[in-house]
Amino acid sequence: MAVKPLSLAVVGANSTSGETLLEVLGATSQSFSTFYPLTVADEGEMVEFRGQDFPIMGVEEFNWEVPDLVVFCGEDTACAARFAKIAADAGAAVVDLSGGADVPLAEADARLKRGGVARMPHEVTTVLLPVLKALAKAAPFSGLTVTAMLSVSQDGKRAIDELSEQTRALFAQSEVQIEHYAKRMAFNLHPSIGAIDEFGASVEEARIIAEVASVCVDVPMSLTCTRVPMFFGHGISLNVRFADDVTLNTLKAALTDAEGVYLLEAQGAAGLVTPQDVIGGDKVWVSRVRSSGQGVSLWLTGDNTRLGAMAVLRLLGAAA
């Protein structure tokens, strides 16, 4: 599919993840015959791609028979839920980065195909999977405990703008406006986002747990997704409990050999990787690996928007 110029449509092209996707695709050798930036509400915006400005079009009036490839980006899952199948039925190869399409999660060796929809995992799942797959080779799991500290870019541009405006307002000692989040985001933490089910899990947490179980390990998993006052990059505290004893050297060897993972081992400040350090990177960074008997604790970081864009790029490569 990728051996010829592609007609590309990106839904949510003006979102945070959409802009990162266009940046990544723009730097590849893949040629695109036409480009259609789409959004739910056409507000006369322009989007830049490969040095050219393109007017954003509304999805309602778009002819889905035109593009070869359609990518759904952004936090608007309802758009993918409504239009992903329509685009696929019209003959396009569809990639859903938003998680809204009602299809199974794409397999690790998934390939783009016309009339098909490849749903990509949540950004937290994307960070966890390569590390969990590596550790699973060392010994069977008996349980997982995860605390995900997510930047507001997870929730799109409105959330980024709100954090920025609230921070300025606090320093200026003026009134803080609260719109996107339930409470103030600046200099604060939110232990959950969205509706909570009868078991106390958010929709986001339930989705990630189901994704990890379906493609990696189906063991008891405790997960808390927390929003932190950062603009980009995610940090994750991961604790894995094994069914058998496993040595620290065995675990580090597995992480060193893992594709898409960089194990950082250094003393002092050089060994303290933060989300800021991985912005623009294509790998999950692992540090602070601590092991005792049947347990290991790790600190993971990743660029949430870029990792999703790189997943699309890999699908294009697999189709070449």
Side-chain angles (χ1 to χ4, degrees):
M1 181 177 179
V3 296
K4 68 180 184 67
L6 295 176
S7 176
L8 171 68
V10 176
V11 183
N14 59 341
S15 67
T16 303
S17 59
E19 290 178 349
T20 303
L21 174 67
L22 295 181
E23 178 185 339
V24 168
L25 293 182
T28 69
S29 59
Q30 170 66 50
S31 60
F32 297 95
S33 57
T34 48
F35 170 55
Y36 304 97
L38 304 172
T39 189
V40 175
D42 178 12
E43 299 179 352
E45 292 184 66
M46 303 287 285
V47 167
E48 182 182 350
F49 181 52
R50 288 187 168 173
Q52 298 184 49
D53 290 329
F54 296 84
I56 293 182
M57 298 176 286
V59 293
E60 295 288 351
E61 300 80 24
F62 185 66
N63 180 6
W64 297 102
E65 296 180 353
V66 173
D68 301 309
L69 173 63
V70 179
V71 184
F72 287 85
C73 300
E75 64 280 0
D76 187 357
T77 58
C79 189
R82 180 179 175 189
F83 291 105
K85 188 176 186 303
I86 293 175
D89 289 346
V94 179
V95 181
D96 177 24
L97 284 174
S98 73
D102 186 19
V103 297
L105 198 66
E107 299 289 338
D109 58 351
R111 290 178 172 269
L112 288 176
K113 61 179 181 179
R114 287 185 173 276
V117 181
R119 180 170 68 87
M120 298 291 100
H122 188 282
E123 289 84 344
V124 170
T125 311
T126 301
V127 174
L128 286 172
L129 284 182
V131 176
L132 291 176
K133 288 179 178 179
L135 295 176
K137 296 177 181 179
F141 295 166
S142 62
L144 304 172
T145 301
V146 181
T147 301
M149 287 154 269
L150 311 184
S151 64
V152 297
S153 58
Q154 181 69 45
D155 304 315
K157 284 187 173 180
R158 287 192 308 153
I160 293 173
D161 290 342
E162 182 160 319
L163 173 58
S164 178
E165 291 166 4
Q166 288 180 356
T167 302
R168 285 196 295 266
L170 287 171
F171 278 110
Q173 297 184 345
S174 58
E175 183 180 357
V176 174
Q177 299 296 320
I178 298 174
E179 297 179 3
H180 184 82
Y181 294 107
K183 295 186 177 182
R184 194 188 80 202
M185 187 70 250
F187 301 96
N188 202 6
L189 298 174
H190 285 232
S192 66
I193 294 294
I196 302 297
D197 65 19
E198 59 182 314
F199 304 105
S202 67
V203 172
E204 180 177 53
E205 290 162 346
R207 173 189 167 187
I208 296 165
I209 291 172
E211 288 178 349
V212 170
S214 68
V215 300
C216 186
V217 287
D218 189 6
V219 297
M221 177 176 175
S222 171
L223 168 67
T224 300
C225 284
T226 301
R227 291 303 188 279
V228 297
M230 303 187 308
F231 292 108
F232 295 95
H234 291 351
I236 298 177
S237 173
L238 169 64
N239 179 272
V240 179
R241 297 180 299 282
F242 296 97
D244 304 308
D245 287 350
V246 61
T247 67
L248 183 59
N249 287 339
T250 299
L251 296 173
K252 287 185 176 181
L255 292 168
T256 300
D257 294 338
E259 183 179 357
V261 174
Y262 176 67
L263 175 60
L264 177 64
E265 292 189 274
Q267 298 298 317
L272 299 177
V273 62
T274 68
Q276 179 186 7
D277 299 323
V278 301
I279 299 302
D282 303 335
K283 292 186 176 183
V284 176
W285 285 47
V286 179
S287 63
R288 298 211 65 211
V289 182
R290 292 146 286 152
S291 174
S292 60
Q294 295 179 337
V296 63
S297 297
L298 315 91
W299 171 246
L300 319 179
T301 52
D303 183 336
N304 51 305
T305 58
R306 187 164 179 91
L307 288 174
M310 293 306 296
V312 177
L313 190 59
R314 283 192 293 274
L315 287 175
L316 277 174

